[in-house]
Structures are given as structure tokens and as C-alpha cells.
Amino acid sequence: MNNEQQILELLAKHQGGIGSHLSEALKQQILESGKNEAENLQPFDNAKLCDAIDQSLQRMPIAWLIEQGYE
Amino acid sequence: MNNFSVDNLVAIFNKINLNLASGKPSITLSWHHATLEEVCLYANLSLANLYPLCTTYKATKLAGAYLYWIAKLKPCLNLTTINLALNESVAIHTANAIIQERINKIINLDRKQFILACETLRYSNISIQAIIAILDTSIKSIN
């Protein structure tokens, strides 16, 4: 695919848009490669979650909302 | 499928409650356990529908789904004062905790961005996919 005419021809032949000319097997392969599996499979650690909440509330206090008038 | 359960959500909410109770002004939260179960159920259903080829979900996807459903189902009640954007802010803190626990990265919003995010969650329609895309592009490593 190296010029505008080729792209226009491809789109004219395949009304479904870019990607619609791919075979089902290739589409499936692309979908599989796009999988976004978990980075970490360990059970969640409540202590770490609580520590993260402490830090989060310090960085972004709910008081900001109250000062803004959301009370 | 994911490892995040309603017990983890309860631990997070208890911690938020503890923090807010000791703050100024002191805020006391309450919630129904059934609503937290509903949040977990719908977060898992959404992820399964959105990503049928995934068997586990990366941190931002998990966090995005929980952020969306906490903001939508509003499980927290404020027993002390009326706080209009409370559930939306709790949703952001929960998502932040999930991301930090999994991959040691954070959502770091300044005051203006935080208020804007709460307002958007409360007053506008935003999809789970949009939330996940925002999280994917905005999380930062902890310095």
C-alpha cells in the first residue's frame, strides 16, 4: 500500500472499511495479539490497597470537593 | 475473571471511611454490602462483554470498570453531611488503589483535574472504554 489511489481502490472494494478485507483467521489473530492480560496474577493484598488509599487521599483530598461547594 | 473481590472493595471502603472520619470536616460513610456485590458483579460482566478473549484483565481495565460502576451505582451514603460528588471521588480513589497495588503506578490529578473528573462522572455520560483509555494514558510511575 504505497499510494493514495491504491488506498482508494481498496476502500472501494471493501465497503466495511479498513481491515474488512482481512480473512477471518487473520482478524482472529490480530484480536488475539491485542489481548491485554493481567500484569500481576497474585491475589490482591488488602494492606497494599489500604496503603494506596492513604496516599491517594493525601494527594487528592475529598476536602477539595467540599471547598468547591459539593456538600 | 479477576482476583479482585468484594472483600477487597470492603477493605478499601473501610479505609476511606477511617480516613474521612479523622479528617476535617469529619465524614462518616455507610454502604450496603449488597450494593458492593452489585458493583463487583457488573464490573466483571462489563469486562467479560468488552474483552471476550481475555481471561484476566490488566490493572487499568479492572480499575476502569470499577471506577465506572462505583460512580454509576453510588454505593456510599454520607451520614454526616450531603456530599454531592462523594461516590465519584470514592470511585477515583478505588481505581487508584487497584492500579497502585497491581503495577505501582498512580492516577495523579491536580485539584482542577480531580474536580473536573468528579463532575464529568456525575453530570456527563462517559463509557467504560473512555475511562480505560484515559487511565491507560494518564497513569504515572511513583517517583
Side-chain angles (χ1 to χ4, degrees), chain A residues 22-35, chain B residues 53:
Chain A
L22 301 175
S23 69
E24 285 305 311
L26 195 50
K27 283 181 192 170
Q28 188 64 22
Q29 188 183 335
I30 291 168
L31 279 172
E32 295 266 0
S33 70
K35 282 201 289 189
Chain B
L53 295 178

Side-chain angles (χ1 to χ4, degrees), chain A residues 3-66:
Chain A
N3 65 45
E4 190 181 354
Q5 189 56 39
Q6 281 177 302
I7 294 172
L8 290 174
E9 282 173 15
L10 183 64
L11 290 175
K13 272 194 273 181
H14 301 282
Q15 297 294 323
I18 292 171
S20 64
H21 62 291
L22 301 175
S23 69
E24 285 305 311
L26 195 50
K27 283 181 192 170
Q28 188 64 22
Q29 188 183 335
I30 291 168
L31 279 172
E32 295 266 0
S33 70
K35 282 201 289 189
N36 255 321
E37 301 293 340
E39 302 92 340
N40 181 350
L41 289 173
Q42 298 300 311
F44 272 85
D45 181 342
N46 279 344
K48 281 188 188 173
L49 285 171
C50 290
D51 190 38
I53 286 291
D54 280 339
Q55 294 174 35
S56 186
L57 283 166
Q58 278 180 9
R59 280 199 311 277
M60 303 178 284
I62 286 180
W64 281 351
L65 291 170
I66 297 168

Side-chain angles (χ1 to χ4, degrees), chain B residues 44-103:
Chain B
N44 285 324
L45 282 175
S46 297
L47 288 168
N49 286 332
L50 286 172
Y51 308 107
L53 295 178
C54 291
T55 53
T56 61
Y57 306 102
K58 69 177 194 173
T60 46
K61 286 183 170 159
L62 196 59
Y66 275 89
L67 196 163
Y68 176 87
W69 282 108
I70 291 171
K72 193 168 184 68
L73 295 176
K74 306 188 188 311
C76 289
L77 301 168
N78 186 344
L79 298 180
T80 37
T81 60
I82 300 165
N83 191 331
L84 292 178
L86 182 71
N87 280 285
E88 291 74 10
S89 57
V90 167
I92 293 171
H93 289 300
T94 303
N96 187 65
I98 291 172
I99 291 171
Q100 187 171 338
E101 199 276 349
R102 289 288 91 175
I103 55 174

Side-chain angles (χ1 to χ4, degrees), chain B residues 28-42:
Chain B
T28 306
L29 300 183
S30 179
W31 54 85
H32 291 295
H33 196 270
T35 322
L36 299 192
E37 287 177 352
E38 193 184 19
V39 167
C40 291
L41 174 68
Y42 276 86

